[in-house]
Amino acid sequence: MWTTVVVSGITLGSFYTLIAMGFALIFGVTRTFNLAHGEVLVLAGYAAYWLWKTSGVSLLFTFPAAVLVALVVCLILQRLFSRLREPLELNSIVMSFGVAILLQNGMLFFFSGDYRLIRVPTFNQGLHFNTLYLSYGQLTLLALSLLVIGLLYLLMRHTYLGKALRATIQDREAAALAGINVGAMGILAFAIGAILIGLAGPLYGCVHYLYPTAGLQATLLAITITIFAGVGRIRGLILGGWILALAESCAVVLFGASWRELVGAVMLITLLALRPQGILGREQ
Amino acid sequence: MQVARAAPVLGLVFLLLLPVFARYNDYVLQVFTHALLLATLALAWNILGVSGSISLGHAAFFGAGAYTSALLSLDLGVSPWATIPLGGVLAAGIAAIMGLFCLRLRGAYFALATLAFVEIPKVITDNWDGLTRGSLGLVGLPGLPSLRLGSYHFDISGSLAGSYYFVLGYGLVLLLLVTLMFRSNLGLALQAIREEEIAAEAVGIQVQRYRLLSLLLSAFFTGITGACYGHLIRYIEPGLVYGLHFSAMPMIFAICGGRFTILGPALAALVLYPVDQFIFHPLLPAGHEFLYGAVIILAILFMPSGVWGQLRKGHFVSIKTGSIE
Amino acid sequence: MSLLKLEALSKKFGDHWALKEIDFSIDEGEIVGLVGPNGAGKTTLFNLIACRHRPTSGRVLFANEETTLCKPHKIQKLGISRTFQSSRPFAKMSTLDNVVVGRVFGGEFHLFAQSTDIDSARQLLELVGLAHKEQTPAGDLTLSEQRRLDLARALATQPRLLLLDEVVAGFSPVAVKQAVDLVRRVRQRGVTLFIVDHFLSLSLRVSDRLLALDHGEKVAEGRPQEVMRNREVIRAYLGTRYEDE
Ligand SMILES: Nc1ncnc2c1ncn2[C@@H]1O[C@H](COP(=O)(O)OP(=O)(O)OP(=O)(O)O)[C@@H](O)[C@H]1O
Ligand SMILES: [Mg+2]
């Protein structure tokens, strides 16, 4: 049984990492928290759901639409964020909280409050390895998450753009002095973040029910993982995602499913209490 | 400036006469009763807000107050007049725990921690079936007993107008208390901490002690409002009283109204909620709350000191007595 | 009798010594200037005395009591107040309230500001020449007004020792002259002053003694004229001018 817990923890954790990556990238580059992250994710999920439901295309073809939706929303968001005044971190939280409410109500208007799920029949079948059972859904989730994480890793490590992004994450002023256009990096971060959210959205719609206020949980887990990892560390994000998902699975097994929501919250508060200076951990 | 001085007085007269104007129309009274409740929440939120901390988790206190008072009055049969203050006390107790973990944090990180913190009392309430009856919620809470002054009976829970005047009275008392607090040296300390924590410490202010005090007071009154809410609605459940609604609304009203002023947060609640209910709700039954998202975005981008703060520019809470904020 | 005594005071940031083994003392009623080039450790020394930072080693004694490990708000109660290099007014509060804060929390605690508190705050605004701005939000004051407000707020706490960090940086010659007057008047109130003054425009005129730092080390102390003739001090100042600029 514990192998099942571990395997499903790793699977879900990889997906969590995928969800958190866009949030972490945007925060790292622009120093703004996007509390509407989960709402954009759910919206991308709805876009996929709608396409899947109305035209009956296979899940694979919903990704471009979801990415497109996420891109449009995130680039509008970027315009809003770029107009914020100091203190950026706090003001971005308050404003994106407003954006989250806006998106929730938009989704309520267009999709109603009903619970929706993208049902892919084959996802429920699976493979048995001795006592371990892996559904195709889990396998797809794991494979796609790791694929996207891997691609982002390559982008960040081995391309000029990735290096410029990393330089901006590490030190905005030094990056600006070195001739990097920090403003453009912000737009790029939102764009890449949007692509990541857009790719995660349809998957999210397969594993979680979609409803207008579902986003908060996703936002919280993205924050938790980002704070765990600190900025600019993809490996930290993977580890954070796995630990969070494993802790959740353990809590479900030990105490019951209804305690799951507590895990992320407790982890976030503990991390913050341990690192009161925040992610950057720098004293003034 | 004349407008700014006259508005609160006119507003009060309007609120006092509202049941008469509205010809005791049920819907209008219900909306304004809830608007007044939200106004008290915004006032209470701003006891912490004035110190510069933004909380996204006041529903924790609201829910704790509601549940404490509801359970004590339901299970032990104690009068709500005794259990409501206890609701406030328990909310403050929860705030003390929250303070232990969150008060070392500043700004954005404090806000994030409060956002996560709500989950704790919520999930516990949800799962502690034996005590709280879990996610089913509590039904049939006792209403507020009528008040007797000599031979005069003031009926609260029996009529909507009674409930309305009760909440209005509570709101005015809270407004008075908040005004006294902000004008006192406590208010001075909290504002100094908000503006320049290091300088505040250097003039001898015990920063953490005052931050804790403001959190406790804010939670106490939020808990009281939560308790009153339960007895007025007579039905509560975890998803309702610990819901994002009661965390988001006071924050939005305080920031849009002006979190550096005394009256701003309450005024914003009294304007925005009725506008939402009377104008946007009929137009857009699903999705009318986008209004709150829109106003908070506009406020943070264009009017960070809030509408009332902008009108009263340069007249933020001051020890100089005699001016109405 | 010395009011403030520093014993082998050192502070290390990471592996960089911001201050090394500083021994120094200040007598009651003195005005002492603290000079040295950028990064010499002047502000760091103030931060240690005011307990903003903890020293890596060494002790601070104030009025014969050890205060090395005090809390910042406690040290103020013992009688040390300070201004900040970049002034830190309570921007949204009125100028008068800024000073009242100093008065109220520097003294005995009351729930409400007493009219005597407000009166003495007004007197202090008068002293620093800001009486006509008492209702202006402090954030709207000019930079030099904010510096003077900082000073008034620090004085309001009724300190025995006042630490002034770069009060006159960027002041016009006329304003510096006024500041000289002001500092002398503050001394007449019985306050001991320790003044950081990078460009020496103030401290050379008012100080009884100077302490010169360079790279965290004490290079000279004594009468102003003597210290300014000290070769190490000259080298420290000219050195920075030629090396850093
Ligand atoms: N909080 C800190 N963390 C790390 N290093 C610090 C800190 N504060 C000061 N330093 C370092 O200590 C040294 C002394 O700085 P300090 O601010 O005391 O100099 P200063 O004499 O006041 O200079 P200035 O004339 O520029 O104000 C500098 O090298 C500075 O970089
Ligand atoms: Mg300095």
Side-chain angles (χ1 to χ4, degrees), chain A residues 111-280:
Chain A
F111 302 106
S112 88
D114 298 344
Y115 282 45
R116 319 267 187 190
L117 191 65
I118 303 176
R119 287 177 212 278
V120 183
T122 47
F123 275 15
N124 291 327
Q125 296 153 17
L127 304 170
H128 283 278
F129 305 95
N130 290 331
T131 55
L132 180 66
Y133 172 76
L134 266 180
S135 71
Y136 290 127
Q138 280 180 306
L139 283 172
T140 316
L141 198 64
L142 183 64
L144 281 178
S145 300
L146 291 180
L147 178 70
V148 178
I149 295 168
L151 285 176
L152 186 77
Y153 186 79
L154 290 179
L155 174 84
M156 295 298 277
R157 285 276 150 185
H158 295 292
T159 64
Y160 169 74
L161 273 183
K163 282 176 187 157
L165 281 171
R166 281 196 296 145
T168 315
I169 290 171
Q170 263 146 33
D171 190 336
R172 289 167 68 80
E173 273 148 43
L177 286 177
I180 294 171
N181 182 341
V182 175
M185 287 301 125
I187 300 178
L188 188 66
F190 269 91
I192 297 176
I195 294 173
L196 292 167
I197 299 174
L199 293 174
L203 293 173
Y204 185 87
C206 297
V207 291
H208 281 273
Y209 280 103
L210 296 167
Y211 52 94
T213 52
L216 181 64
Q217 283 300 323
T219 305
L220 273 177
L221 76 86
I223 298 170
T224 310
I225 294 170
T226 303
I227 301 231
F228 175 88
V231 281
R233 298 196 191 89
I234 291 185
R235 269 165 293 184
L237 292 173
I238 298 176
L239 194 62
W242 286 357
I243 290 179
L244 177 59
L246 281 171
E248 283 188 354
S249 312
C250 292
V252 169
V253 171
L254 294 174
F255 307 111
S258 50
W259 294 92
R260 198 179 59 87
E261 284 166 45
L262 204 54
V263 176
V266 169
M267 186 165 153
L268 177 56
I269 292 171
T270 316
L271 285 170
L272 285 170
L274 291 177
R275 235 193 284 180
Q277 259 81 27
I279 297 181
L280 305 171

Side-chain angles (χ1 to χ4, degrees), chain A residues 80 83 85 89-90 93 95 97-99 101-102 105 108-109 223 258-259 261-262 265 268-269 272-273 276 278-279, chain B residues 104-105 107-109 112-113 116-117 119-120 123 127 248 251-252 284 286-287 289-290 293 296-297 300-302 304:
Chain A
L80 287 177
R83 309 187 56 160
R85 344 175 178 211
E89 290 183 348
L90 186 60
I93 283 186
M95 191 184 71
F97 195 78
V99 174
I101 295 177
L102 213 61
N105 281 280
L108 186 65
F109 180 77
I223 298 170
S258 50
W259 294 92
E261 284 166 45
L262 204 54
L268 177 56
I269 292 171
L272 285 170
I279 297 181
Chain B
R104 291 171 65 205
L105 304 168
Y109 299 96
L112 293 180
F117 186 85
E119 298 290 326
I120 296 173
V123 172
N127 284 293
M251 185 274 278
I252 290 169
L284 260 182
E289 289 192 339
F290 84 92
I296 191 78
I297 295 172
I300 212 79
L301 285 179
F302 302 111

Side-chain angles (χ1 to χ4, degrees), chain C residues 8-41:
Chain C
L9 204 58
S10 302
K11 177 71 186 178
K12 205 173 172 183
F13 287 115
D15 47 8
H16 167 76
W17 288 98
L19 282 177
K20 242 192 240 163
E21 305 270 321
I22 306 293
D23 288 298
F24 191 67
S25 69
I26 296 179
D27 290 339
E28 184 115 47
E30 263 191 309
I31 299 181
V32 179
L34 175 57
V35 300
N38 282 27

